[in-house]
Amino acid sequence: MMEDPGLKLEKETNSLKLLREKMDKCSSLSKDMCSILTSFDEHLMKLEQTILPVYLETGNLQRRQENIDKILDRLDYVIQYYNVPKEVESKIRDGPSGCLQSYLECLKKIQSSINFFQKNNQDCQELVELSTLFDDGAESLQVEFRNILYRYSKPIPAITVLDMLGMDDEMPADEDKVSVEQIPDNVLQDLIKISQWLQTHNSEEYINVYSSIRSNVLTRSIQNLKDHLKNSSGSSNTLTVQNSPQMVNS
């Protein structure tokens, strides 16, 4: 049985009408979506225009801060050399006696500062002051070296020399032995430190000082021994070496 053409046409018409309504609705939705996206894009552009300068300026500020920190660190590094003369002047003036290690550290700091100014600012007043302090410090070390040697360089008594000459190399180990210790170990270490510093800084006068003082002590020790032997020999023309009371009692 064939469908009524009128009904079929009506159905097709209704379908087309429904399709047109849906298409119109989709078109309206598409327009609304485009409008929303356009508005969103405009907002993004405005936000970018607002944020981008802030971002760039923040980056510039960070770089400036880093540069300032570097400059401050460099200033601190430089200023420490300018402060050295005031820091060490009193200690250099006081001399190394009783504080040799800290005195040598002050001289090391002075030398480092001199090297800095000679490289970067040779015309500054601080370089003159540092050079003067360094020369004074070197001279004080020379004087300290000489004073220590004088203080601990005493002639060996003739009686002690005779005791040492009369000692038997084969004496039992538990027997008392005569020993001569003119310079204590701690004082000897100070002399070594001073001589090493002077040697490093091309100041070799201490060698002549050491040679003069120690040779004088040796000469006086020998002279004392000769005088003792002469006195012990009495009126005899022959010098007879006599043992000391210590050797006689032993």
Side-chain angles (χ1 to χ4, degrees), residues 23-176:
M23 289 180 64
D24 291 342
K25 187 175 182 179
C26 286
S27 177
S28 177
L29 290 174
S30 296
K31 289 180 180 180
D32 292 342
M33 182 61 69
C34 288
S35 177
I36 292 173
L37 291 175
T38 301
S39 176
F40 183 71
D41 188 54
E42 291 175 352
H43 280 81
L44 284 178
M45 291 181 63
K46 291 181 180 179
L47 182 62
E48 181 180 4
Q49 292 173 355
T50 303
I51 296 299
L52 184 59
V54 175
Y55 172 78
L56 295 176
E57 184 62 24
T58 301
N60 292 334
L61 290 174
Q62 288 178 341
R63 284 190 292 273
R64 291 173 185 173
Q65 182 63 47
E66 291 173 357
N67 292 335
I68 291 173
D69 291 340
K70 291 179 180 179
I71 292 174
L72 290 176
D73 290 341
R74 184 62 182 176
L75 284 175
D76 289 339
Y77 173 77
V78 172
I79 289 173
Q80 68 174 337
Y81 292 110
Y82 282 89
N83 290 334
V84 168
K86 293 181 180 179
E87 292 177 1
V88 303
E89 182 177 8
S90 61
K91 186 174 290 291
I92 295 298
R93 301 303 183 199
D94 291 341
S97 181
C99 55
L100 178 61
Q101 188 58 42
S102 61
Y103 195 84
L104 293 176
E105 291 174 358
C106 285
L107 287 174
K108 182 178 180 180
K109 185 179 293 187
I110 292 174
Q111 181 65 70
S112 177
S113 299
I114 289 175
N115 293 339
F116 172 82
F117 287 117
Q118 286 179 339
K119 182 179 179 181
N120 297 281
N121 188 4
Q122 297 184 3
D123 298 327
C124 68
Q125 180 62 30
E126 284 76 11
L127 179 57
V128 177
E129 296 176 3
L130 288 166
S131 298
T132 300
L133 287 172
F134 188 83
D135 292 341
D136 291 345
E139 178 62 26
S140 294
L141 284 179
Q142 291 274 19
V143 172
E144 181 71 5
F145 186 85
R146 184 183 299 109
N147 290 341
I148 291 176
L149 275 181
Y150 271 127
R151 190 179 308 124
Y152 290 95
S153 295
K154 306 296 183 183
I156 302 175
I159 200 73
T160 302
V161 175
L162 291 175
D163 286 343
M164 295 177 67
L165 292 174
M167 293 293 291
D168 187 349
D169 292 337
E170 298 182 357
M171 287 181 63
D174 58 350
E175 292 288 341
D176 292 336

Side-chain angles (χ1 to χ4, degrees), residues 149-242:
L149 275 181
Y150 271 127
R151 190 179 308 124
Y152 290 95
S153 295
K154 306 296 183 183
I156 302 175
I159 200 73
T160 302
V161 175
L162 291 175
D163 286 343
M164 295 177 67
L165 292 174
M167 293 293 291
D168 187 349
D169 292 337
E170 298 182 357
M171 287 181 63
D174 58 350
E175 292 288 341
D176 292 336
K177 293 186 177 181
V178 179
S179 62
V180 178
E181 182 184 355
Q182 289 196 319
I183 303 179
D185 287 341
N186 62 320
V187 177
L188 182 60
Q189 291 303 314
D190 286 347
L191 287 174
I192 292 174
K193 289 180 180 179
I194 295 175
S195 62
Q196 288 176 340
W197 190 94
L198 294 172
Q199 180 71 30
T200 300
H201 294 83
N202 301 319
S203 179
E204 299 183 353
E205 177 61 25
Y206 76 95
I207 297 177
N208 296 330
V209 171
Y210 183 88
S211 175
S212 174
I213 294 176
R214 299 302 285 178
S215 62
N216 179 264
V217 170
L218 179 59
T219 300
R220 291 166 60 191
S221 297
I222 294 174
Q223 185 61 47
N224 288 343
L225 178 60
K226 290 172 64 178
D227 294 342
H228 177 79
L229 292 176
K230 286 181 180 180
N231 293 333
S232 298
S233 64
S235 59
S236 174
N237 293 328
T238 303
L239 295 178
T240 303
V241 177
Q242 297 181 351

